[in-house]
Amino acid sequence: MRPTAARPRTTVRPTAFVALCAAAPLLLTACGGGSGGDPDTLKVSFKQSTDNSVKVMDTYLADIKKQFEKANPGKKVELVPIKAPDAEYYTKLQQMLRSPRTAPDLVYEDTFLINSDIISGYLKPLDPYLAGWKDWDRFIDTAKAAAKGEDGKTYGVPDGTDTRGLWFSKDIFAKAGLPANWQPRTWGDVLDAARTVKEKVPGVIPLNVYTGKPVGEAATMQTFEMLLYGTGDGTSDPLYDKTTKKWLTAGQGFRDALTFVETVYQEKLGPDVADALDPNVGTRVRGEWLPQGKLAIALDGSWLPQDWLEGSGHEWPEWSKELGLAAMPTQHGQAPGKVSMSGGWTWAIPAKAANPDLAFEFVKTMQTKANAQKWYVANSGIAVREDVAADPAYTAAQPGIRFFTDLVEHTHYRPAYPAYPKVSTAVQEAMEGVTTGDLSVEEAARGYDEALRDAADGRVTSR
């Protein structure tokens, strides 16, 4: 459920679904929202996987619904899934939030979109509820910060975080003569491994890195920022200057990150460009390419095993034996040597929700220690509750949890300010240009700078 993510394309061309809803307000209730003024019915909207066989969120919420209705006689929970890729989910959700006729009582919000929706007035501050909820003290500060607006108020309760690294096929590596305990030190090591696979194991995809507008934030966060944040010393933000509160134009690190993406696709180390620009390429990575031994290396997230657990639809019990894990290195191996990005999702209450009090009671049910731990394990997420993170039953629940939890030490968070969604789109456009070969790295960087000035309303500074 990640960015994709995981994890807001207000610039994405609306689907027919959105266009219909926007053009016919009286039909909006059919588009999936609105409590209809019924104080006894709670409507919960969430992102449903586009892969029909993956029901992790559906199964979890069905269990919470059962618990909640049992504990609150007379109250009913109606689950309102939005089945769409990330970019379309954000667009549809924002359409729903605009009107009390369509606004659910509780929504699943990506942390990178939350500030944009706060500025738009779509979300309700939760501070009065949080002040009286003792479990809030159990949440780690970085997770709390991800759900805060620029006004200092909190607008969402995080349900976990994530980190990112390199997944690799031990079988393909063995055929290529690469080590089973592969731990690259530089970007060059990653590219060289992909080149070796291409040469010695024909017929498989050497390396997948997400790219372009169709995959949305997965391209920006899981590829570009994983590269960009590894070009500096690991302490400064290469996208946004917090001192001047201005966005930064493309510098050398930005160009180097684009060059890496260009290299992958121009040397044909990645999937076919048409496949790379498929909005559902993430589903193919998790459900087909990795399990079927068609992909050697994937730069991807900690949540992948959720698709391989029993009952997921893509059961792959052997994954922990067949896949290796490695941290994404910094560009030249410079300190701290590793890089990761973290995001996550939150549960938020729309400003126009009919039953906000009931919605927060549902959140409290979801976020008991037992239910939170159940979700982290089912979703292959990283705990944001200190008591769960310290529980040996959590760290031992699934292979890989300890590896990805340890990456938190080296992780970065996006500058998720209101302009970020548009900035992210500008990054994706630059990536897509070098992926298809339509733009050189220099042309893509200049195009980014131009788009950035519009996206940030002129709040830009040159390096």
Side-chain angles (χ1 to χ4, degrees):
M1 306 295 298
R2 300 301 197 276
T4 120
R7 188 196 167 305
R9 300 297 165 268
T10 53
T11 55
V12 170
R13 183 169 60 253
T15 61
F17 174 99
V18 174
L20 173 63
C21 292
L26 292 179
L27 294 178
L28 277 169
T29 51
C31 296
S35 295
D38 183 353
D40 295 324
T41 299
L42 177 73
K43 289 206 170 186
V44 179
S45 193
F46 64 98
K47 182 184 182 302
Q48 188 175 57
S49 174
T50 55
D51 187 336
N52 291 326
S53 62
V54 178
K55 301 291 185 182
V56 179
M57 176 67 90
D58 305 67
T59 301
Y60 172 74
L61 288 179
D63 180 48
I64 301 299
K65 164 184 161 72
K66 185 177 180 180
Q67 292 181 39
F68 186 81
E69 290 178 346
K70 182 177 180 180
N72 297 273
K75 305 298 182 183
K76 298 294 181 184
V77 177
E78 182 179 339
L79 301 178
V80 185
I82 299 176
K83 185 175 182 178
D86 283 356
E88 291 183 22
Y89 173 75
Y90 303 138
T91 304
K92 292 177 180 181
L93 183 61
Q94 288 178 328
Q95 289 284 341
M96 293 168 66
L97 296 178
R98 291 175 183 173
S99 168
R101 292 180 179 177
T102 55
D105 298 302
L106 190 65
V107 294
Y108 204 41
E109 279 267 342
D110 192 329
T111 53
F112 107 107
L113 179 65
I114 200 165
N115 264 289
S116 177
D117 282 352
I118 291 168
I119 293 298
S120 297
Y122 293 155
L123 303 179
K124 183 181 183 68
L126 304 182
D127 302 79
Y129 297 109
L130 299 173
W133 184 35
K134 60 182 178 59
D135 279 21
W136 187 236
D137 292 336
R138 300 286 191 178
F139 287 72
I140 62 176
D141 289 340
T142 51
K144 290 179 178 181
K148 273 191 176 182
E150 288 188 296
D151 59 5
K153 297 178 182 178
T154 300
Y155 289 82
V157 174
D159 76 337
T161 188
D162 47 43
T163 52
R164 288 151 177 79
L166 294 163
W167 299 79
F168 62 94
S169 167
K170 293 180 181 179
D171 180 60
I172 295 175
F173 268 43
K175 292 176 181 177
L178 294 167
N181 61 346
W182 181 64
Q183 298 293 316
R185 291 185 59 257
T186 67
W187 290 4
D189 291 345
V190 176
L191 291 172
D192 285 345
R195 292 174 179 125
T196 299
V197 169
K198 180 183 178 183
E199 177 186 354
K200 297 186 176 181
V201 193
V204 303
I205 301 166
L207 171 64
N208 182 69
V209 292
Y210 296 112
T211 187
K213 287 181 68 176
V215 299
E217 187 64 7
T220 309
M221 188 179 186
Q222 285 167 231
T223 296
F224 194 80
E225 290 170 351
M226 285 287 289
L227 294 165
L228 182 62
Y229 281 77
T231 59
D233 61 5
T235 59
S236 59
D237 191 320
L239 282 174
Y240 184 82
D241 188 325
K242 294 181 180 178
T243 302
T244 62
K245 296 185 178 180
K246 291 183 177 180
W247 294 87
L248 298 168
T249 57
Q252 188 58 50
F254 194 100
R255 287 168 168 79
D256 289 348
L258 284 179
T259 298
F260 184 99
V261 175
E262 179 186 55
T263 300
V264 170
Y265 288 97
Q266 297 310 308
E267 291 191 17
K268 299 188 184 302
L269 302 176
D272 291 342
V273 171
D275 290 331
L277 297 178
D278 179 347
N280 293 310
V281 64
T283 299
R284 297 191 71 185
V285 169
R286 301 187 303 270
E288 178 186 344
W289 292 347
L290 283 174
Q292 296 177 16
K294 297 178 179 179
L295 173 62
I297 307 168
L299 176 55
D300 223 306
S302 53
W303 58 88
L304 263 59
Q306 69 174 280
D307 279 30
W308 306 326
L309 300 177
E310 184 178 355
S312 68
H314 293 298
E315 291 89 345
W316 186 20
E318 303 84 10
W319 75 263
S320 62
K321 296 178 181 178
E322 296 184 12
L323 293 180
L325 291 168
M328 181 65 188
T330 52
Q331 183 177 11
H332 303 296
Q334 71 271 32
K338 301 175 182 178
V339 65
S340 183
M341 296 296 300
S342 288
W345 292 70
T346 69
W347 288 102
I349 299 177
K352 296 176 181 178
N355 299 310
D357 295 350
L358 198 62
F360 194 77
E361 289 302 312
F362 190 81
V363 170
K364 288 164 65 176
T365 300
M366 283 195 289
Q367 295 300 327
T368 62
K369 178 178 182 292
N371 283 336
Q373 184 163 321
K374 185 186 301 182
W375 171 244
Y376 299 147
V377 173
N379 191 44
S380 301
I382 306 301
V384 293
R385 284 184 61 122
E386 294 173 336
D387 51 353
V388 176
D391 190 333
Y394 158 73
T395 55
Q398 185 175 288
I401 284 181
R402 173 52 59 195
F403 171 84
F404 283 108
T405 299
D406 287 347
L407 287 179
V408 171
E409 178 185 354
H410 306 288
T411 204
H412 300 268
Y413 293 84
R414 295 161 291 185
Y417 301 110
Y420 179 81
K422 293 180 180 179
V423 174
S424 179
T425 298
V427 169
Q428 295 156 30
E429 290 170 344
M431 294 177 74
E432 189 167 329
V434 299
T435 296
T436 60
D438 291 340
L439 297 175
S440 68
V441 166
E442 193 56 41
E443 290 169 336
R446 287 200 302 268
Y448 171 78
D449 287 349
E450 294 173 6
L452 181 65
R453 291 183 175 88
D454 291 335
D457 295 325
R459 294 171 58 187
V460 174
T461 185
S462 299
R463 294 177 183 276

